[in-house]
Amino acid sequence: MVFRQKHLLGIEQLHPEEITALLDLADQYVDLNRRDVKHSEALRGLTQINMFFENSTRTQASFEIAGKRLGADVMNMAMQASSIKKGETLIDTAMTLNAMHPDLLVVRHPHSGAVDLLAQKVNCAVLNAGDGKHEHPTQALLDALTIRRSKGRLHRLNIAICGDVTHSRVARSNMILLGKMENRVRLVGPPTLMPSQVDQLGVEVYDDMAEGIKDADVVMMLRLQKERMDGGFIPSEREYYHRYGLDAEKLAHAKDDAIVMHPGPMNRGVEIDGELADDINRSVIQDQVEMGVAVRMAAMDLLARNLREARQNQPVEV
Ligand code: NCD
């Protein structure tokens, strides 16, 4: 099989062929999800535990639906970010869960690297549902599937990622994925919201929206992550919207058939105009949600195949 990963921790670890294989399988799951009867047996008998140490609605629901449609036994652990501390406590939680023999662990955590650490301690497949400002691989994969289905290809496209790049794991995973698939990626936003070593990322950087989205095939907006800011990043939301909020007027600089994306949740009237977000001729935001379920089904299916194979090849103890 092309897809060789034991875990899905980041896009960084994936080979372009693995990305393509995963998206091809996800296409099949899109078809399944559009039928009346949406069940498959791919994860039958397996236990999936969702551990979200940070608030989430769509990602957690998406993973839960994905697991259920594949026939897994799915459990959501209610993790209060405040009751769990970094380091040993996280590992202790992981070890306790590990003793219950889960097969798939879906983890979101506010600290970059926490999910990788956890993966080293457990005997099951771990999926990163977002770790700090580091990676959010299933988001980048669902964005890639949305782009590929809408544009008919996933290479040689002009893609502008706009807004609060510095706080965004979505931007990071997307930059890596889109770069691997040989697209031209531009980052657009105020210098205060750009990562410090942005010049080393192999992307073009703009602080003017009109220039940055000129001739873009895809305009990807990011949420202004107020909860990760400690003040001083933007003068005011009004001013930010004026310069960087996407509306029909600014979008006119992109290609005529450019699509508009947003990972959600959206701040309408801050980074995007509400009417544009709802315009089904331009916005693929609802498609992204649909693709999310299919991509997560594909990811869990592929990881479960590798898990079963690894277990079969384990020497029998006598
Ligand atoms: C993103 C996240 O959590 O990183 N949202 C999501 O997965 N639905 C983006 C964001 O919070 O802005």
Side-chain angles (χ1 to χ4, degrees), residues 222-236:
L222 300 170
R223 183 174 65 89
L224 201 57
Q225 307 223 350
K226 293 176 234 169
E227 77 279 15
R228 296 190 203 275
M229 297 183 186
D230 41 21
F233 284 92
I234 56 162
S236 73

Side-chain angles (χ1 to χ4, degrees), residues 35-88:
R35 290 198 209 131
D36 285 341
V37 180
K38 302 170 176 61
H39 280 283
S40 133
E41 302 273 276
L43 301 184
R44 196 161 77 103
L46 300 185
T47 302
Q48 172 192 337
I49 302 184
N50 297 334
M51 294 168 75
F52 281 66
F53 294 91
E54 212 184 59
N55 290 342
S56 163
T57 28
R58 81 189 62 213
T59 306
Q60 186 168 341
S62 182
F63 268 111
E64 185 175 351
I65 292 175
K68 287 186 170 155
R69 291 201 178 147
L70 296 180
D73 297 309
V74 187
M75 201 197 117
N76 288 313
M77 300 252 311
M79 320 290 322
Q80 287 297 328
S82 57
S83 69
I84 301 282
K85 300 279 184 306
K86 294 184 281 184
E88 282 197 345

Side-chain angles (χ1 to χ4, degrees), residues 144-153 217 257-259 284 287:
L145 185 63
T146 309
I147 295 171
R148 194 174 82 165
R149 289 173 70 99
S150 168
K151 294 282 150 202
R153 66 178 202 274
D217 298 289
D257 62 352
I259 53 168
V284 294
D287 299 334

